[in-house]
């Protein structure tokens, strides 16, 4: 299959063609008849320029999925020529706002022109990627989309971005193509050859509804519902479908890791190591002794605490977002379970009156994708580390994996880490490490030794 970059260029090329040739037959339904077949109201078609409807390639009707109160802010992902964007503008009224985002420059221009021709003053159209939305956190009441999420190379990232920009209890209403083929394959692409004409099936694959709803759940959405399928199709194995959901309370990371530690065989996960050899070697390298106060951040079910106890350490703290992971450690330690202090929580919000001589993090920091999360982590580290303390932070290297446990990670080298520490820590050393997974594959790591710089 083509790379995600090639797929992206294919999407831009296709929709640039549509922007310039709305009357062209692309092999799928569009136009005013298509809108009416999906139940778009006559009052909308009457209020908006007739020529705009030539571009309507809707695969469903997101406006049937919930209320659009006056004064609301609506974000349309992959707004195209602006048909749904302008409908949303009508629904929320002049006191509301309709924002469109599209990756195709010609479509952005077309949507802006259509909004102007319709006399809509509450419309803003932005050029951008759905995986990196140019929209502020918690600034949107409702997100809609119509046949666009399917085209994203990283659909989980799109749902994460939607979650980020929605206000608490915000709504997601969208229509998209789904795979209705029989069998266990996750996408329609598996059974078909890839060609430029298979755009709906083969730009990273059209997913089954179960896969989409799972992605939404993992992103933190609740009350997720596929409300049904319709007549729209792009291939024998696809159908248009509509979905709705609500932004949940945000404990996405905790739910993810609780699920990992309650359902997975820990001896088979990619990060498993029978012995924490590299961590023990690095503790020796910085001159750590059993008198040190040490915290293992994102400890999971690592055996580092067992080995520290064996070495005579008694001032041990364990921090993990999963209470289940800590319970597994307690049970394994048996009679020594009372030695560590256990903390359940997110490292970015961790607070302790205690300062630590050693901060150990084998693989938490690289999960932090957002700059504000990275800053929060470094703030916590700076507060928590004693004046002469050391931090050992392990991350995937730039030639290492770009995901772990089905989550995206950020890869690091010396320059990237120095950008994060911003002079508050001295980078003492960088150690390259190759981890061999239980499956026998290699994972490239970097371990950074930092020392705090305090007055």
């Amino acid at each position: 299959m083509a790379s995600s970059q090639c797929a992206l260029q294919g999407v831009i090329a296709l929709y640039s063609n549509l922007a310039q040739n709305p009357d062209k037959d692309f092999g799928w339904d569009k136009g005013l008849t298509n809108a009416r077949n999906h139940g778009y109201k006559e009052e909308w078609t009457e209020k908006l320029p007739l020529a705009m409807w030539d571009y309507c390639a809707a695969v469903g009707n997101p406006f049937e999925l919930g209320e659009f109160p006056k004064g609301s802010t609506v974000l349309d992902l992959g707004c195209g020529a602006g048909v749904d964007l302008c409908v949303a503008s009508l629904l929320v009224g002049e006191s509301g706002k309709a924002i469109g985002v599209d990756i195709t420059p010609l479509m952005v221009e077309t949507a802006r022109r259509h909004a102007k021709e319709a006399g809509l003053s509450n419309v803003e159209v932005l050029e951008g990627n759905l995986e990196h939305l140019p929209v502020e956190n918690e600034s949107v009441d409702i997100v809609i989309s119509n046949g666009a999420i399917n085209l994203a190379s990283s659909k989980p990232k799109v749902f994460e971005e939607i979650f980020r920009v929605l206000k608490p209890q915000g709504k997601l209403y969208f229509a998209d193509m789904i795979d209705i083929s029989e069998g266990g394959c996750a996408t329609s692409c598996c059974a078909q050859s890839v060609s430029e004409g298979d755009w709906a099936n083969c730009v990273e694959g059209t997913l089954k509804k179960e896969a989409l709803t799972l992605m939404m759940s993992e992103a933190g959405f609740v009350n997720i519902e596929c409300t049904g399928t319709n007549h729209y199709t792009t291939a024998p194995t696809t159908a248009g479908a509509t979905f709705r959901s609500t932004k949940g309370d945000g404990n996405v990371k905790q739910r993810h890791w609780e699920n990992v530690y309650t359902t997975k065989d820990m001896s088979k996960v990619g990060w498993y190591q029978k012995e924490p050899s590299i961590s023990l070697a690095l503790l020796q390298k910085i001159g750590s002794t059993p008198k040190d106060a040490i915290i293992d951040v994102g400890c999971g079910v690592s055996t580092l605490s067992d080995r520290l106890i064996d070495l005579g350490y008694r001032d041990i703290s364990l921090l993990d977002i999963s209470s289940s992971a800590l319970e597994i450690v307690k049970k394994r330690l048996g009679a020594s379970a009372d030695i560590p202090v256990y903390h359940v929580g997110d490292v970015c919000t961790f607070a302790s009156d205690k300062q630590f001589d050693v901060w150990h993090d084998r693989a938490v920091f690289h999960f932090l994708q957002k700059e504000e999360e990275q800053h929060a982590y470094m703030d916590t580290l700076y507060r928590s580390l004693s004046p002469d303390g050391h931090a050992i932070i392990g991350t995937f290297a730039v030639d290492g994996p770009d995901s772990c446990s089905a989550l995206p990670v950020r890869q690091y080298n010396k320059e990237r880490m120095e950008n994060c520490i911003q002079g508050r820590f001295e980078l003492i050393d960088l150690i390259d490490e190759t981890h061999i997974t239980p499956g026998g594959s290699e994972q490239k790591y970097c371990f950074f030794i930092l020392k705090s710089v305090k007055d």
Side-chain angles (χ1 to χ4, degrees):
M1 182 173 287
S3 68
S4 59
Q5 186 62 33
C6 290
L8 179 63
Q9 294 305 315
V11 170
I12 293 173
L14 174 68
Y15 286 94
S16 295
N17 193 355
L18 175 59
Q20 296 171 309
N21 303 285
D23 296 328
K24 181 177 177 180
D25 183 0
F26 288 87
W28 24 270
D29 292 344
K30 59 182 179 64
L32 183 57
T33 300
N34 181 51
R36 286 172 172 158
N37 287 340
H38 285 303
Y40 280 61
K41 296 182 178 180
E42 289 299 322
E43 63 184 271
W44 304 339
T45 63
E46 292 171 358
K47 289 181 180 179
L48 299 175
L50 185 60
M52 179 191 303
W53 294 96
D54 292 340
Y55 297 83
C56 182
V59 305
N61 185 350
F63 301 105
E64 293 181 331
L65 300 174
E67 298 296 322
F68 288 74
K70 297 292 185 183
S72 299
T73 297
V74 178
L75 174 63
D76 184 4
L77 302 186
C79 67
V83 175
D84 282 0
L85 181 66
C86 291
V87 171
S89 169
L90 295 176
L91 293 175
V92 301
E94 292 184 359
S95 61
K97 187 173 184 179
I99 305 168
V101 175
D102 203 279
I103 200 169
T104 304
L106 284 175
M107 278 299 188
V108 171
E109 293 176 14
T110 304
R112 288 171 178 166
R113 186 183 76 246
H114 284 155
K116 184 176 181 180
E117 291 173 353
L120 301 171
S121 59
N122 62 343
V123 171
E124 180 181 11
V125 188
L126 305 172
E127 183 180 333
N129 191 319
L130 304 194
E131 298 168 30
H132 304 282
L133 292 172
V135 181
E136 295 295 322
N137 294 349
E138 297 189 352
S139 60
V140 173
D141 298 293
I142 303 167
V143 171
I144 62 173
S145 187
N146 206 328
I149 295 174
N150 173 64
L151 304 177
S153 59
S154 177
K155 297 169 186 64
K157 179 62 175 172
V158 174
F159 288 119
E160 289 175 10
E161 281 290 273
I162 295 171
F163 190 92
R164 176 182 67 81
V165 302
L166 276 173
K167 296 176 183 178
Q169 298 300 307
K171 305 296 184 181
L172 169 60
Y173 305 138
F174 74 97
D176 223 319
M177 303 307 300
I178 62 169
D179 175 11
I180 58 172
S181 64
E182 297 181 359
C185 179
T187 75
S188 293
C189 290
C190 298
Q192 301 180 36
S193 61
V194 177
S195 71
E196 291 183 3
D198 287 332
W199 66 273
N201 285 334
C202 295
V203 180
E204 297 302 320
T206 300
L207 301 180
K208 294 182 182 294
K209 67 178 182 180
E210 293 82 4
L212 279 172
T213 54
L214 177 60
M215 287 180 184
M216 283 186 270
S217 176
E218 290 179 341
F221 289 93
V222 296
N223 302 324
I224 301 165
E225 182 184 4
C226 176
T227 61
T229 57
N230 57 52
H231 66 279
Y232 202 94
T233 184
T234 56
T237 57
T238 67
T242 45
F243 297 82
R244 61 185 169 202
S245 61
T246 302
K247 180 175 179 175
D249 61 13
N251 294 323
V252 185
K253 289 188 286 187
Q254 186 173 31
R255 286 198 298 272
H256 174 86
W257 291 110
E258 288 292 354
N259 179 63
V260 167
Y261 288 111
T262 55
T263 64
K264 305 287 185 183
D265 180 345
M266 287 296 105
S267 68
K268 291 182 172 60
V269 295
W271 61 91
Y272 173 76
Q273 51 177 195
K274 187 174 182 179
E275 291 294 333
S277 303
I278 180 66
S279 299
L280 294 173
L282 293 177
L283 288 172
Q284 186 176 22
K285 186 177 182 68
I286 64 174
S288 177
T289 72
K291 294 181 180 180
D292 288 339
I294 183 169
I295 182 168
D296 189 10
V297 176
C299 62
V301 297
S302 166
T303 57
L304 179 61
S305 56
D306 308 57
R307 300 299 163 260
L308 292 174
I309 292 171
D310 293 343
L311 291 169
Y313 285 78
R314 291 297 179 267
D315 196 342
I316 302 168
S317 295
L318 303 178
L319 170 64
D320 202 274
I321 200 167
S322 168
S323 60
S324 298
L326 295 178
E327 287 302 320
I328 292 171
V329 173
K330 288 179 185 178
K331 184 176 181 180
R332 189 185 66 228
L333 289 176
S336 300
D338 291 338
I339 294 176
V341 176
Y342 303 90
H343 303 274
V344 178
D346 188 331
V347 64
C348 293
T349 57
F350 175 67
S352 173
D353 294 333
K354 184 182 183 64
Q355 287 196 316
F356 302 94
D357 302 305
V358 180
W359 171 287
H360 176 269
D361 168 7
R362 180 179 174 237
V364 171
F365 185 65
H366 64 192
F367 282 108
L368 307 181
Q369 296 290 297
K370 300 173 185 176
E371 191 172 309
E372 56 263 35
E373 292 178 321
Q374 296 158 13
H375 287 322
Y377 179 103
M378 289 298 170
D379 288 343
T380 301
L381 173 56
Y382 191 76
R383 290 193 308 268
S384 302
L385 206 57
S386 66
D388 294 319
H390 291 82
I392 298 170
I393 300 176
T395 71
F396 282 149
V398 291
D399 56 348
D402 59 8
S403 66
C404 179
S405 187
L407 298 175
V409 300
R410 182 171 170 79
Q411 302 151 315
Y412 283 88
N413 56 15
K414 180 181 178 182
E415 180 181 0
R416 291 179 181 178
M417 181 57 73
E418 287 180 336
N419 287 337
C420 289
I421 62 180
Q422 297 182 337
R424 290 187 293 178
F425 304 92
E426 180 183 356
L427 179 52
I428 301 295
D429 206 350
L430 187 161
I431 296 91
D432 295 320
E433 171 74 6
T434 299
H435 168 64
I436 306 300
T437 71
S441 61
E442 293 187 350
Q443 293 181 338
K444 302 292 186 181
Y445 274 80
C446 283
F447 282 86
F448 301 89
I449 298 179
L450 309 179
K451 193 173 189 305
S452 104
V453 178
K454 297 184 179 180
D455 296 334

